[in-house]
Amino acid sequence: MSYAHTQVAQIAAISNERCIGKENQLPWHISGDLQHFKALTTAETNEYADSGFNGIVIMGRKTFESMGSKPLPKRVNFVVTTQLDYAEQHGLSDREDVHVVHNLDDALTHAANLAHGLKFDTIWIIGGEKVFKNALMFTDRIELTLVDTSIENGEAFYPEIPSDFEKVAESAPVTDEKSGLSYRFVTYQKKA
């Protein structure tokens, strides 16, 4: 289900048991995966280049805080939280690059309107566990980095991929030089 001709895509890096977080952080540091994430979430170009934005991301409050409560550059960041005074408390009220919303529907609606205005093709869902799970019904595409490792005491997990998605692309495995971890990129598309 596309939101007004804009694709909703999820992007995550997951372990063998689908772990995406531990102690509100990524359980690994893989520069190739971070570059992949940045390349995909800032891939948009438009005639309004002076907007300074090349992508739209939606995330939950914990994901935002795991990034030091700083918005991702060159992207419009939507932060979903039930805390009504979150924007005021964190000095985010009058920023163009951060919009605090109180449910996923509002985030998707505002992001779709913005994407339409900027002529962007994709809205990115970037975490965490609850936001991924709740956004699956609206999602057209899933971009996963499969990290070949097991995380003990993982605290956040990516949901099971629904049967109405099919694997459409998979990269060869790559080994991260610093961590020694092997990973590959996999794309799932919702069946028509």
Side-chain angles (χ1 to χ4, degrees):
M1 176 191 148
S2 293
Y3 253 78
H5 308 298
T6 304
Q7 268 210 345
V8 176
Q10 298 196 11
I11 185 166
I14 69 172
S15 71
N16 293 334
E17 61 281 330
R18 299 190 331 279
C19 178
I20 56 171
K22 184 173 177 175
E23 296 168 3
N24 206 32
Q25 296 294 323
L26 283 173
W28 45 72
H29 182 88
I30 299 173
S31 57
D33 176 53
L34 296 173
Q35 289 163 3
H36 177 74
F37 173 89
K38 183 179 180 184
L40 288 179
T41 61
T42 61
E44 302 281 0
T45 55
N46 63 58
E47 62 233 48
Y48 312 109
D50 57 346
S51 76
F53 297 120
N54 297 100
I56 298 172
V57 294
I58 297 174
M59 71 196 88
R61 173 187 60 80
K62 287 182 185 171
T63 299
F64 182 64
E65 289 173 359
S66 78
M67 300 184 311
S69 299
K70 292 187 178 74
L72 292 170
K74 298 187 189 266
R75 284 152 281 194
V76 180
N77 295 252
F78 284 87
V79 180
V80 181
T81 175
T82 55
Q83 296 177 22
L84 297 180
D85 58 351
Y86 191 80
E88 292 76 33
Q89 276 189 342
H90 293 83
L92 303 171
S93 298
D94 299 317
R95 295 184 61 145
E96 267 191 20
D97 57 348
V98 184
H99 300 276
V100 176
V101 292
H102 303 296
N103 60 62
L104 183 62
D105 286 345
D106 283 354
L108 286 165
T109 301
H110 291 310
N113 288 336
L114 188 61
H116 180 73
L118 291 169
K119 299 199 174 6
F120 284 0
D121 294 331
T122 308
I123 296 165
W124 291 97
I125 308 289
I126 65 168
E129 179 177 337
K130 196 167 151 191
V131 174
F132 281 138
K133 186 175 176 209
N134 293 341
L136 269 176
M137 70 172 84
F138 307 109
T139 299
D140 304 291
R141 189 171 99 235
I142 301 170
E143 297 284 352
L144 291 182
T145 303
L146 305 182
V147 182
D148 188 13
T149 187
S150 292
I151 303 299
E152 275 189 42
N153 306 318
E155 293 162 1
F157 294 85
Y158 192 80
E160 290 278 358
I161 295 172
S163 58
D164 57 345
F165 281 85
E166 62 185 334
K167 188 190 297 186
V168 294
E170 182 169 354
S171 76
V174 181
T175 301
D176 177 60
E177 286 183 14
K178 278 192 177 155
S179 67
L181 292 171
S182 173
Y183 62 95
R184 61 191 196 278
F185 303 121
V186 182
T187 303
Y188 294 87
Q189 192 78 42
K190 189 170 270 182
K191 296 173 192 168

